[in-house]
Amino acid sequence: MTRYTRETALVILAAVVARLGFALYTGFTADDAYITFRFADNIARGLGFVYNEGQRVFGTTTPLFTLLMALAAFFRFPLPAAALVVSIAASAATAVVVYRFAVALRFRLLALVPVLCYLLWPRSLPGETSGMETAVFTLLVTSALYFRYRVYDYYAVGMATLATLTRPEGALVLLLVGIAMWRRFPRRWWHYGLVAVSLVGPWVVFAWVYFGSPLPHTISAKIALYSHFGTMPFFQSLEYLLALHSPFGWVLLAAAVGGAVWLYRSQRFGRLELLWLAAMFAFYLFSGSRLFFWYVVPIYPVYLLFAAAALVPLWNRLPANVQHASGVRVALAILILILLCAGAYRPAMYYREYQKSLESMHRQVGYFLYAEAKPEEVVAAEDIGYIGYYSQRTILDRDGLISPEAVPYNRAGTYLQFVLDYRPAWVVAADPSPTSPFLDREEFVAHYREVRSFSTGESSYRIFRRQPDPDTASIPPE
């Protein structure tokens, strides 16, 4: 067995252990993951690609991952477990791609450094074990860039196209890879176009016929929802994306710049990859939506590759006997492990506690509504993941992700008027919440009475039931 084969096997094993260990310790599954699970469950049950039965709304940004989960649901696999298995497998594959990338870029004895950083990166751990599509998207994007570098053109276009079907941001890497391929082989443009169209074309046709548009409704819904709160100023967003609130983020940025300079000077590598990173940052900075922690996760394999590259020219200046001394490399690995484990400790503790709050509030709200609300009754709710999945009731999404009728109200900031106009039988509201400032207002209290609340710490979810209107309450039933 060659060193390359042994290290590849080690990378796969380490990826599985790191991701599985974090998942088992925290138990974390994001609320948004359960939106995908409900779509997938409805597909498997033959109800269609819908969140609410009979309502064709393109309320997910990840059709490919949703279909994967629908396949798991069809074979009766528990969806949170299925999502975790798929995510861990994708993370292991990404680690292998990063390792092969480092080998191809002549990292030599340091080829495992970017892999080690990726496997234990504090933001990647929760993002890629959260039950969402993040790990799959990260794999597809990283693979597209790797195959483009190795001049496996059709694989590169294929991975970039699948990334587009996994998240809308994938269109950025598809565009950049397509331009790079066209510039290198201009006569083959229609070959690459045929690969992309054959993969994305069927979905575009289906979405246009089924939903009326191939663009996810969630994009406009999030822009409207966060037009009044939740977004950060430009420089604060940039600080968050690059982790510049920490000295370690500045060190990483400096290392990434230095590594990019070395890679370009020594191998003319990095222009496309840097363009992709810049495009991703620009998308998140100017999209007008709120930044969530899983948005930034897909940049890290490439970003960490650049940062690790800064060590290579320094390592190459060491005496040959020092470079090949196993003790020196082990010491470097241990140092990196200590730093990364220290950085991952607080996120692990945070998401462990956060999961407890999701289970004690969101999930319990879902169970309560399943028991108390009639199947035909409509529930207006925010954060509809756990609540919608476990209640199995028709949801009027106050955030607007699967309810287009909420979008103009959210854009105008008239959250109470939305409830009063649509008169749902139940209202679930987080307290405190920027979209629920009306819970004690006379117009709301006149129609809704609080029947239950679930709390943890300073946060709670309050459940209200609509009361009979005064002019109809006295009319006897027929």
Side-chain angles (χ1 to χ4, degrees), residues 409-435:
Y409 293 91
N410 289 338
R411 188 179 296 115
T414 53
Y415 310 112
L416 173 58
Q417 196 59 47
F418 175 61
V419 173
L420 297 179
D421 286 351
Y422 283 88
R423 304 173 60 178
W426 300 81
V427 173
V428 180
D431 188 16
S433 168
T435 60

PDB file of all heavy atoms in Angstrom, residues 409-435:
ATOM      1  N   TYR A 409     -46.709  41.687   3.024  1.00  0.00           N
ATOM      2  CA  TYR A 409     -46.867  42.129   4.413  1.00  0.00           C
ATOM      3  C   TYR A 409     -45.501  42.263   5.080  1.00  0.00           C
ATOM      4  O   TYR A 409     -45.261  43.226   5.824  1.00  0.00           O
ATOM      5  CB  TYR A 409     -47.732  41.134   5.190  1.00  0.00           C
ATOM      6  CG  TYR A 409     -49.168  41.087   4.739  1.00  0.00           C
ATOM      7  CD1 TYR A 409     -49.578  40.200   3.746  1.00  0.00           C
ATOM      8  CD2 TYR A 409     -50.129  41.920   5.316  1.00  0.00           C
ATOM      9  CE1 TYR A 409     -50.904  40.145   3.329  1.00  0.00           C
ATOM     10  CE2 TYR A 409     -51.458  41.870   4.920  1.00  0.00           C
ATOM     11  CZ  TYR A 409     -51.837  40.981   3.920  1.00  0.00           C
ATOM     12  OH  TYR A 409     -53.152  40.935   3.517  1.00  0.00           O
ATOM     13  N   ASN A 410     -44.611  41.317   4.841  1.00  0.00           N
ATOM     14  CA  ASN A 410     -43.283  41.387   5.437  1.00  0.00           C
ATOM     15  C   ASN A 410     -42.479  42.543   4.855  1.00  0.00           C
ATOM     16  O   ASN A 410     -41.702  43.187   5.563  1.00  0.00           O
ATOM     17  CB  ASN A 410     -42.533  40.068   5.220  1.00  0.00           C
ATOM     18  CG  ASN A 410     -43.098  38.944   6.065  1.00  0.00           C
ATOM     19  OD1 ASN A 410     -43.755  39.181   7.074  1.00  0.00           O
ATOM     20  ND2 ASN A 410     -42.850  37.708   5.657  1.00  0.00           N
ATOM     21  N   ARG A 411     -42.671  42.785   3.570  1.00  0.00           N
ATOM     22  CA  ARG A 411     -41.965  43.904   2.953  1.00  0.00           C
ATOM     23  C   ARG A 411     -42.438  45.228   3.545  1.00  0.00           C
ATOM     24  O   ARG A 411     -41.651  46.157   3.735  1.00  0.00           O
ATOM     25  CB  ARG A 411     -42.191  43.895   1.435  1.00  0.00           C
ATOM     26  CG  ARG A 411     -41.338  44.917   0.687  1.00  0.00           C
ATOM     27  CD  ARG A 411     -41.587  44.857  -0.806  1.00  0.00           C
ATOM     28  NE  ARG A 411     -41.179  43.573  -1.373  1.00  0.00           N
ATOM     29  CZ  ARG A 411     -42.006  42.691  -1.909  1.00  0.00           C
ATOM     30  NH1 ARG A 411     -43.326  42.958  -1.947  1.00  0.00           N
ATOM     31  NH2 ARG A 411     -41.563  41.557  -2.408  1.00  0.00           N
ATOM     32  N   ALA A 412     -43.723  45.306   3.859  1.00  0.00           N
ATOM     33  CA  ALA A 412     -44.271  46.533   4.453  1.00  0.00           C
ATOM     34  C   ALA A 412     -44.122  46.568   5.966  1.00  0.00           C
ATOM     35  O   ALA A 412     -44.336  47.623   6.575  1.00  0.00           O
ATOM     36  CB  ALA A 412     -45.751  46.659   4.078  1.00  0.00           C
ATOM     37  N   GLY A 413     -43.779  45.436   6.573  1.00  0.00           N
ATOM     38  CA  GLY A 413     -43.651  45.379   8.027  1.00  0.00           C
ATOM     39  C   GLY A 413     -44.976  45.332   8.756  1.00  0.00           C
ATOM     40  O   GLY A 413     -45.037  45.592   9.953  1.00  0.00           O
ATOM     41  N   THR A 414     -46.047  44.944   8.070  1.00  0.00           N
ATOM     42  CA  THR A 414     -47.385  44.889   8.677  1.00  0.00           C
ATOM     43  C   THR A 414     -47.700  43.447   9.090  1.00  0.00           C
ATOM     44  O   THR A 414     -48.557  42.786   8.497  1.00  0.00           O
ATOM     45  CB  THR A 414     -48.444  45.424   7.692  1.00  0.00           C
ATOM     46  OG1 THR A 414     -48.309  44.709   6.444  1.00  0.00           O
ATOM     47  CG2 THR A 414     -48.238  46.911   7.441  1.00  0.00           C
ATOM     48  N   TYR A 415     -46.993  42.979  10.091  1.00  0.00           N
ATOM     49  CA  TYR A 415     -47.080  41.571  10.487  1.00  0.00           C
ATOM     50  C   TYR A 415     -48.443  41.219  11.101  1.00  0.00           C
ATOM     51  O   TYR A 415     -48.979  40.140  10.852  1.00  0.00           O
ATOM     52  CB  TYR A 415     -45.955  41.248  11.469  1.00  0.00           C
ATOM     53  CG  TYR A 415     -44.598  41.703  10.989  1.00  0.00           C
ATOM     54  CD1 TYR A 415     -43.910  42.735  11.640  1.00  0.00           C
ATOM     55  CD2 TYR A 415     -44.010  41.124   9.872  1.00  0.00           C
ATOM     56  CE1 TYR A 415     -42.676  43.161  11.201  1.00  0.00           C
ATOM     57  CE2 TYR A 415     -42.768  41.550   9.417  1.00  0.00           C
ATOM     58  CZ  TYR A 415     -42.103  42.573  10.087  1.00  0.00           C
ATOM     59  OH  TYR A 415     -40.878  43.002   9.644  1.00  0.00           O
ATOM     60  N   LEU A 416     -49.003  42.123  11.888  1.00  0.00           N
ATOM     61  CA  LEU A 416     -50.310  41.865  12.485  1.00  0.00           C
ATOM     62  C   LEU A 416     -51.393  41.828  11.419  1.00  0.00           C
ATOM     63  O   LEU A 416     -52.293  40.981  11.463  1.00  0.00           O
ATOM     64  CB  LEU A 416     -50.634  42.928  13.534  1.00  0.00           C
ATOM     65  CG  LEU A 416     -52.050  42.882  14.120  1.00  0.00           C
ATOM     66  CD1 LEU A 416     -52.334  41.525  14.776  1.00  0.00           C
ATOM     67  CD2 LEU A 416     -52.264  44.021  15.116  1.00  0.00           C
ATOM     68  N   GLN A 417     -51.306  42.711  10.449  1.00  0.00           N
ATOM     69  CA  GLN A 417     -52.343  42.768   9.420  1.00  0.00           C
ATOM     70  C   GLN A 417     -52.414  41.473   8.633  1.00  0.00           C
ATOM     71  O   GLN A 417     -53.496  41.034   8.213  1.00  0.00           O
ATOM     72  CB  GLN A 417     -52.084  43.943   8.473  1.00  0.00           C
ATOM     73  CG  GLN A 417     -53.283  44.320   7.608  1.00  0.00           C
ATOM     74  CD  GLN A 417     -54.493  44.711   8.437  1.00  0.00           C
ATOM     75  OE1 GLN A 417     -54.372  45.508   9.382  1.00  0.00           O
ATOM     76  NE2 GLN A 417     -55.651  44.157   8.101  1.00  0.00           N
ATOM     77  N   PHE A 418     -51.282  40.837   8.440  1.00  0.00           N
ATOM     78  CA  PHE A 418     -51.269  39.547   7.749  1.00  0.00           C
ATOM     79  C   PHE A 418     -52.109  38.523   8.503  1.00  0.00           C
ATOM     80  O   PHE A 418     -52.929  37.807   7.911  1.00  0.00           O
ATOM     81  CB  PHE A 418     -49.825  39.056   7.604  1.00  0.00           C
ATOM     82  CG  PHE A 418     -49.698  37.680   7.021  1.00  0.00           C
ATOM     83  CD1 PHE A 418     -50.164  37.405   5.746  1.00  0.00           C
ATOM     84  CD2 PHE A 418     -49.112  36.658   7.748  1.00  0.00           C
ATOM     85  CE1 PHE A 418     -50.055  36.134   5.199  1.00  0.00           C
ATOM     86  CE2 PHE A 418     -48.998  35.382   7.215  1.00  0.00           C
ATOM     87  CZ  PHE A 418     -49.460  35.116   5.930  1.00  0.00           C
ATOM     88  N   VAL A 419     -51.951  38.466   9.814  1.00  0.00           N
ATOM     89  CA  VAL A 419     -52.725  37.529  10.630  1.00  0.00           C
ATOM     90  C   VAL A 419     -54.205  37.888  10.601  1.00  0.00           C
ATOM     91  O   VAL A 419     -55.079  37.021  10.446  1.00  0.00           O
ATOM     92  CB  VAL A 419     -52.195  37.518  12.073  1.00  0.00           C
ATOM     93  CG1 VAL A 419     -53.087  36.673  12.976  1.00  0.00           C
ATOM     94  CG2 VAL A 419     -50.765  36.996  12.110  1.00  0.00           C
ATOM     95  N   LEU A 420     -54.510  39.175  10.730  1.00  0.00           N
ATOM     96  CA  LEU A 420     -55.913  39.594  10.748  1.00  0.00           C
ATOM     97  C   LEU A 420     -56.600  39.348   9.411  1.00  0.00           C
ATOM     98  O   LEU A 420     -57.790  39.002   9.372  1.00  0.00           O
ATOM     99  CB  LEU A 420     -56.004  41.082  11.120  1.00  0.00           C
ATOM    100  CG  LEU A 420     -55.497  41.466  12.513  1.00  0.00           C
ATOM    101  CD1 LEU A 420     -55.623  42.967  12.721  1.00  0.00           C
ATOM    102  CD2 LEU A 420     -56.256  40.703  13.596  1.00  0.00           C
ATOM    103  N   ASP A 421     -55.871  39.503   8.313  1.00  0.00           N
ATOM    104  CA  ASP A 421     -56.475  39.318   6.992  1.00  0.00           C
ATOM    105  C   ASP A 421     -56.735  37.851   6.675  1.00  0.00           C
ATOM    106  O   ASP A 421     -57.756  37.510   6.063  1.00  0.00           O
ATOM    107  CB  ASP A 421     -55.580  39.931   5.915  1.00  0.00           C
ATOM    108  CG  ASP A 421     -55.637  41.455   5.901  1.00  0.00           C
ATOM    109  OD1 ASP A 421     -56.495  42.015   6.609  1.00  0.00           O
ATOM    110  OD2 ASP A 421     -54.802  42.071   5.206  1.00  0.00           O
ATOM    111  N   TYR A 422     -55.840  36.964   7.099  1.00  0.00           N
ATOM    112  CA  TYR A 422     -55.961  35.551   6.723  1.00  0.00           C
ATOM    113  C   TYR A 422     -56.613  34.696   7.803  1.00  0.00           C
ATOM    114  O   TYR A 422     -56.942  33.546   7.557  1.00  0.00           O
ATOM    115  CB  TYR A 422     -54.586  34.993   6.324  1.00  0.00           C
ATOM    116  CG  TYR A 422     -54.192  35.439   4.940  1.00  0.00           C
ATOM    117  CD1 TYR A 422     -53.518  36.647   4.744  1.00  0.00           C
ATOM    118  CD2 TYR A 422     -54.536  34.691   3.819  1.00  0.00           C
ATOM    119  CE1 TYR A 422     -53.173  37.077   3.468  1.00  0.00           C
ATOM    120  CE2 TYR A 422     -54.198  35.108   2.542  1.00  0.00           C
ATOM    121  CZ  TYR A 422     -53.524  36.303   2.372  1.00  0.00           C
ATOM    122  OH  TYR A 422     -53.201  36.736   1.111  1.00  0.00           O
ATOM    123  N   ARG A 423     -56.746  35.214   9.007  1.00  0.00           N
ATOM    124  CA  ARG A 423     -57.539  34.612  10.077  1.00  0.00           C
ATOM    125  C   ARG A 423     -57.233  33.124  10.293  1.00  0.00           C
ATOM    126  O   ARG A 423     -58.135  32.279  10.238  1.00  0.00           O
ATOM    127  CB  ARG A 423     -59.028  34.798   9.774  1.00  0.00           C
ATOM    128  CG  ARG A 423     -59.426  36.236   9.575  1.00  0.00           C
ATOM    129  CD  ARG A 423     -60.853  36.381   9.119  1.00  0.00           C
ATOM    130  NE  ARG A 423     -61.782  35.819  10.106  1.00  0.00           N
ATOM    131  CZ  ARG A 423     -63.097  35.834   9.984  1.00  0.00           C
ATOM    132  NH1 ARG A 423     -63.652  36.404   8.916  1.00  0.00           N
ATOM    133  NH2 ARG A 423     -63.876  35.296  10.913  1.00  0.00           N
ATOM    134  N   PRO A 424     -55.983  32.765  10.537  1.00  0.00           N
ATOM    135  CA  PRO A 424     -55.681  31.352  10.815  1.00  0.00           C
ATOM    136  C   PRO A 424     -56.290  30.910  12.139  1.00  0.00           C
ATOM    137  O   PRO A 424     -56.519  31.727  13.035  1.00  0.00           O
ATOM    138  CB  PRO A 424     -54.154  31.336  10.887  1.00  0.00           C
ATOM    139  CG  PRO A 424     -53.800  32.726  11.317  1.00  0.00           C
ATOM    140  CD  PRO A 424     -54.804  33.623  10.644  1.00  0.00           C
ATOM    141  N   ALA A 425     -56.552  29.628  12.270  1.00  0.00           N
ATOM    142  CA  ALA A 425     -57.142  29.098  13.500  1.00  0.00           C
ATOM    143  C   ALA A 425     -56.152  29.146  14.659  1.00  0.00           C
ATOM    144  O   ALA A 425     -56.552  29.254  15.820  1.00  0.00           O
ATOM    145  CB  ALA A 425     -57.613  27.666  13.275  1.00  0.00           C
ATOM    146  N   TRP A 426     -54.850  29.049  14.336  1.00  0.00           N
ATOM    147  CA  TRP A 426     -53.809  29.055  15.358  1.00  0.00           C
ATOM    148  C   TRP A 426     -52.709  30.013  14.938  1.00  0.00           C
ATOM    149  O   TRP A 426     -52.414  30.159  13.745  1.00  0.00           O
ATOM    150  CB  TRP A 426     -53.204  27.663  15.536  1.00  0.00           C
ATOM    151  CG  TRP A 426     -54.183  26.609  15.963  1.00  0.00           C
ATOM    152  CD1 TRP A 426     -55.061  25.925  15.168  1.00  0.00           C
ATOM    153  CD2 TRP A 426     -54.385  26.120  17.285  1.00  0.00           C
ATOM    154  NE1 TRP A 426     -55.795  25.043  15.901  1.00  0.00           N
ATOM    155  CE2 TRP A 426     -55.396  25.127  17.215  1.00  0.00           C
ATOM    156  CE3 TRP A 426     -53.807  26.395  18.534  1.00  0.00           C
ATOM    157  CZ2 TRP A 426     -55.844  24.432  18.332  1.00  0.00           C
ATOM    158  CZ3 TRP A 426     -54.237  25.698  19.642  1.00  0.00           C
ATOM    159  CH2 TRP A 426     -55.252  24.736  19.548  1.00  0.00           C
ATOM    160  N   VAL A 427     -52.092  30.644  15.917  1.00  0.00           N
ATOM    161  CA  VAL A 427     -50.933  31.501  15.681  1.00  0.00           C
ATOM    162  C   VAL A 427     -49.831  31.076  16.641  1.00  0.00           C
ATOM    163  O   VAL A 427     -50.059  30.984  17.849  1.00  0.00           O
ATOM    164  CB  VAL A 427     -51.250  32.999  15.879  1.00  0.00           C
ATOM    165  CG1 VAL A 427     -49.968  33.832  15.789  1.00  0.00           C
ATOM    166  CG2 VAL A 427     -52.262  33.467  14.847  1.00  0.00           C
ATOM    167  N   VAL A 428     -48.657  30.802  16.096  1.00  0.00           N
ATOM    168  CA  VAL A 428     -47.483  30.487  16.915  1.00  0.00           C
ATOM    169  C   VAL A 428     -46.497  31.628  16.744  1.00  0.00           C
ATOM    170  O   VAL A 428     -46.138  31.991  15.624  1.00  0.00           O
ATOM    171  CB  VAL A 428     -46.840  29.162  16.475  1.00  0.00           C
ATOM    172  CG1 VAL A 428     -45.618  28.866  17.336  1.00  0.00           C
ATOM    173  CG2 VAL A 428     -47.845  28.020  16.561  1.00  0.00           C
ATOM    174  N   ALA A 429     -46.056  32.188  17.861  1.00  0.00           N
ATOM    175  CA  ALA A 429     -45.184  33.353  17.806  1.00  0.00           C
ATOM    176  C   ALA A 429     -44.042  33.205  18.802  1.00  0.00           C
ATOM    177  O   ALA A 429     -44.263  32.852  19.962  1.00  0.00           O
ATOM    178  CB  ALA A 429     -45.968  34.629  18.113  1.00  0.00           C
ATOM    179  N   ALA A 430     -42.832  33.467  18.324  1.00  0.00           N
ATOM    180  CA  ALA A 430     -41.684  33.520  19.223  1.00  0.00           C
ATOM    181  C   ALA A 430     -41.747  34.823  20.009  1.00  0.00           C
ATOM    182  O   ALA A 430     -42.215  35.846  19.512  1.00  0.00           O
ATOM    183  CB  ALA A 430     -40.386  33.444  18.427  1.00  0.00           C
ATOM    184  N   ASP A 431     -41.293  34.755  21.241  1.00  0.00           N
ATOM    185  CA  ASP A 431     -41.282  35.951  22.085  1.00  0.00           C
ATOM    186  C   ASP A 431     -39.975  35.975  22.873  1.00  0.00           C
ATOM    187  O   ASP A 431     -39.745  35.090  23.693  1.00  0.00           O
ATOM    188  CB  ASP A 431     -42.475  35.916  23.043  1.00  0.00           C
ATOM    189  CG  ASP A 431     -42.641  37.209  23.828  1.00  0.00           C
ATOM    190  OD1 ASP A 431     -42.038  38.219  23.414  1.00  0.00           O
ATOM    191  OD2 ASP A 431     -43.349  37.187  24.843  1.00  0.00           O
ATOM    192  N   PRO A 432     -39.088  36.924  22.566  1.00  0.00           N
ATOM    193  CA  PRO A 432     -39.256  38.060  21.656  1.00  0.00           C
ATOM    194  C   PRO A 432     -39.008  37.673  20.200  1.00  0.00           C
ATOM    195  O   PRO A 432     -38.293  36.721  19.914  1.00  0.00           O
ATOM    196  CB  PRO A 432     -38.184  39.037  22.134  1.00  0.00           C
ATOM    197  CG  PRO A 432     -37.101  38.147  22.665  1.00  0.00           C
ATOM    198  CD  PRO A 432     -37.806  36.977  23.293  1.00  0.00           C
ATOM    199  N   SER A 433     -39.613  38.445  19.297  1.00  0.00           N
ATOM    200  CA  SER A 433     -39.432  38.243  17.867  1.00  0.00           C
ATOM    201  C   SER A 433     -39.755  39.544  17.142  1.00  0.00           C
ATOM    202  O   SER A 433     -40.762  40.197  17.452  1.00  0.00           O
ATOM    203  CB  SER A 433     -40.356  37.135  17.361  1.00  0.00           C
ATOM    204  OG  SER A 433     -40.383  37.116  15.950  1.00  0.00           O
ATOM    205  N   PRO A 434     -38.936  39.948  16.163  1.00  0.00           N
ATOM    206  CA  PRO A 434     -39.214  41.187  15.433  1.00  0.00           C
ATOM    207  C   PRO A 434     -40.484  41.120  14.594  1.00  0.00           C
ATOM    208  O   PRO A 434     -41.027  42.159  14.224  1.00  0.00           O
ATOM    209  CB  PRO A 434     -37.971  41.369  14.549  1.00  0.00           C
ATOM    210  CG  PRO A 434     -37.365  40.016  14.453  1.00  0.00           C
ATOM    211  CD  PRO A 434     -37.671  39.335  15.744  1.00  0.00           C
ATOM    212  N   THR A 435     -40.965  39.904  14.273  1.00  0.00           N
ATOM    213  CA  THR A 435     -42.185  39.794  13.484  1.00  0.00           C
ATOM    214  C   THR A 435     -43.424  39.600  14.355  1.00  0.00           C
ATOM    215  O   THR A 435     -44.513  39.421  13.824  1.00  0.00           O
ATOM    216  CB  THR A 435     -42.084  38.623  12.482  1.00  0.00           C
ATOM    217  OG1 THR A 435     -41.896  37.407  13.207  1.00  0.00           O
ATOM    218  CG2 THR A 435     -40.934  38.838  11.516  1.00  0.00           C
TER     219      THR A 435
END
